[in-house]
Amino acid sequence: MGLFEVFRDTIFLKEDSSLAKQIDELKAIRDKVKDKDKIDKDIRLLELGLQGEKEIAFELKNANIGMYVLHDVTLVYEDLKAQIDYVIVTKGYTYLVECKNLLGDITIDNQGQFMRSYEVRGKKIKEGIYSPYTQAVRHKDVLKKRWLSKRNMLQVMLWEKSFENLWYKPLVVLSNSKCLLNTKYAPNDVKKNTIRVDQLVSYIKKDLEGYDRDTYSSKKNMLELAESFLKDNVEEDYYNVASRYKNELLDQGNEKVELNKKEITIIKDNDVCPKCGGKLVERKGEYGDFYGCSNFPKCRYTLKK
């Protein structure tokens, strides 16, 4: 950056979230489903996740560091997909954030496994959860595969180490600041890159202090990188919780159900997906109408109309 140019703002290029959309979709069909307890639980879980992401947004907006931020970014490479809660572009690292809003305390063992401990009605419960750090690393792996596919051999030889060590960081942020995080025996990479939300700003500042200032990115380069994430984001390709209830709605005689901002119309009861046995439905896509499996995204069978 220029000697007298000081960039300290936090600029969101994308602030909306698929969680908010899914909550709205569930609330729209709530009165039409029989199992109110189940759908209310799904709504509460999504609201908890959304609240956690808002906690991160609040910290970032008050960071006074200088960054571009994108919320809820989906990147696709061939049959791989990375659903990144936050992409944070700074003049040093770009962070690929996996956000978790978990009740209870978190312990990470020497194998990198995450354990959650909490209490319900006086009963102490301890359970393992899928590693959010593994998820964050997979986000980076998908990003790297995309990057490699656009580079020649010489570029890969010159810049691959920078990609791994200087450009991108997987980061887990636990948005429940009341939880106790025990990383005493965790592997070093997991320990260094798993933090609570109230540690996020100081974590980034410490990283920048240790970063080679001669390699700091300019504000222009930061914006270009952030805009590339925005351009590559796949807006509509997210797992839709409301799809769990579509069969019940269809059994009640609803010919059309709006899920994931797409109108789904049953073709015929006997038109089934040859891959999984699900119902074929008519969908509207970027390149026109087509038939797809109602069990998407678990099944990706399609048929041209």
Side-chain angles (χ1 to χ4, degrees):
M1 296 184 70
L3 181 61
F4 300 104
E5 183 182 358
V6 180
F7 173 51
R8 297 191 180 280
D9 297 332
T10 297
I11 300 176
F12 274 76
L13 295 190
K14 182 178 183 297
E15 199 166 0
D16 62 324
S17 168
S18 68
L19 290 181
K21 298 173 186 177
Q22 294 192 70
I23 291 168
D24 290 342
E25 290 166 1
L26 284 174
K27 288 181 176 179
I29 65 173
R30 181 188 180 278
D31 293 338
K32 299 177 183 178
V33 303
K34 295 178 181 179
D35 194 341
K36 298 290 190 297
D37 289 340
K38 180 181 178 183
I39 196 169
D40 285 344
K41 181 179 179 181
D42 283 336
I43 291 172
R44 285 195 298 272
L45 288 173
L46 288 173
E47 288 177 336
L48 189 65
L50 184 60
Q51 180 58 39
E53 294 182 0
K54 287 180 178 179
E55 294 285 345
I56 291 179
F58 176 81
E59 294 292 332
L60 295 176
K61 287 177 180 179
N62 294 280
N64 195 33
I65 292 175
M67 62 179 70
Y68 289 94
V69 182
L70 296 94
H71 181 203
D72 195 18
V73 174
T74 299
L75 302 178
V76 175
Y77 177 74
E78 295 182 348
D79 60 342
L80 301 175
K81 181 165 60 176
Q83 294 176 303
I84 310 169
D85 292 328
Y86 278 99
V87 176
I88 305 172
V89 181
T90 73
K91 59 188 176 183
Y93 294 105
T94 291
Y95 300 91
L96 310 175
V97 176
E98 180 67 21
C99 167
K100 291 297 179 186
N101 190 6
L102 300 169
L103 297 176
D105 299 328
I106 302 298
T107 299
I108 309 173
D109 68 16
N110 60 1
Q111 299 298 314
Q113 297 178 347
F114 283 64
M115 301 293 296
R116 181 168 69 129
S117 303
Y118 58 100
E119 191 172 310
V120 177
R121 297 175 183 175
K123 182 180 180 182
K124 293 183 178 181
I125 299 174
K126 187 174 182 179
E127 61 186 12
I129 61 173
Y130 188 83
S131 168
Y133 184 71
T134 298
Q135 291 176 280
V137 170
R138 285 178 178 170
H139 298 336
K140 183 177 177 180
D141 288 343
V142 173
L143 183 63
K144 184 176 180 180
K145 289 182 188 315
R146 289 172 55 91
W147 181 81
L148 289 172
S149 70
K150 300 174 184 179
R151 303 295 186 280
N152 59 42
M153 187 177 296
L154 178 60
Q155 290 172 321
V156 172
M157 289 175 61
L158 289 173
W159 299 112
E160 188 172 13
K161 286 186 178 180
S162 295
F163 184 101
E164 286 293 341
N165 302 318
L166 297 175
W167 293 350
Y168 298 100
K169 255 194 176 187
L171 180 63
V172 175
V173 180
L174 304 177
S175 57
N176 179 7
S177 58
K178 294 181 180 180
C179 84
L180 297 178
L181 174 61
N182 182 359
T183 60
K184 183 177 181 180
Y185 298 108
N188 197 42
D189 57 337
V190 183
K191 180 186 298 187
K192 289 193 302 183
N193 299 309
T194 302
I195 60 175
R196 299 190 321 183
V197 67
D198 55 343
Q199 301 169 318
L200 177 57
V201 174
S202 60
Y203 176 92
I204 295 175
K205 286 182 176 179
K206 184 177 179 181
D207 265 356
L208 290 176
E209 289 170 1
Y211 207 87
D212 183 355
R213 293 175 181 268
D214 292 335
T215 62
Y216 273 171
S217 296
S218 67
K219 181 181 176 182
K220 178 183 177 182
N221 289 340
M222 291 165 61
L223 177 58
E224 288 176 352
L225 178 57
E227 287 179 335
S228 72
F229 277 98
L230 186 62
K231 179 182 177 182
D232 293 338
N233 175 53
V234 181
E235 274 289 349
E236 60 184 9
D237 194 12
Y238 61 83
Y239 175 71
N240 193 290
V241 179
S243 63
R244 299 174 185 173
Y245 300 92
K246 66 180 180 293
N247 289 334
E248 180 180 341
L249 293 171
L250 294 169
D251 289 343
Q252 294 175 15
N254 295 282
E255 293 183 354
K256 294 181 180 180
V257 182
E258 182 157 316
L259 299 175
N260 200 10
K261 301 301 180 185
K262 299 177 183 177
E263 188 179 81
I264 297 178
T265 306
I266 293 296
I267 305 168
K268 295 178 183 177
D269 286 342
N270 60 350
D271 283 345
V272 298
C273 171
K275 290 186 69 176
C276 72
K279 293 181 180 180
L280 287 181
V281 298
E282 184 179 339
R283 298 186 185 272
K284 296 182 183 296
E286 183 180 354
Y287 303 105
D289 295 350
F290 64 97
Y291 298 139
C293 180
S294 60
N295 289 325
F296 176 88
K298 291 183 178 179
C299 177
R300 295 179 176 270
Y301 175 79
T302 60
L303 178 66
K304 289 184 179 180
K305 190 172 179 181

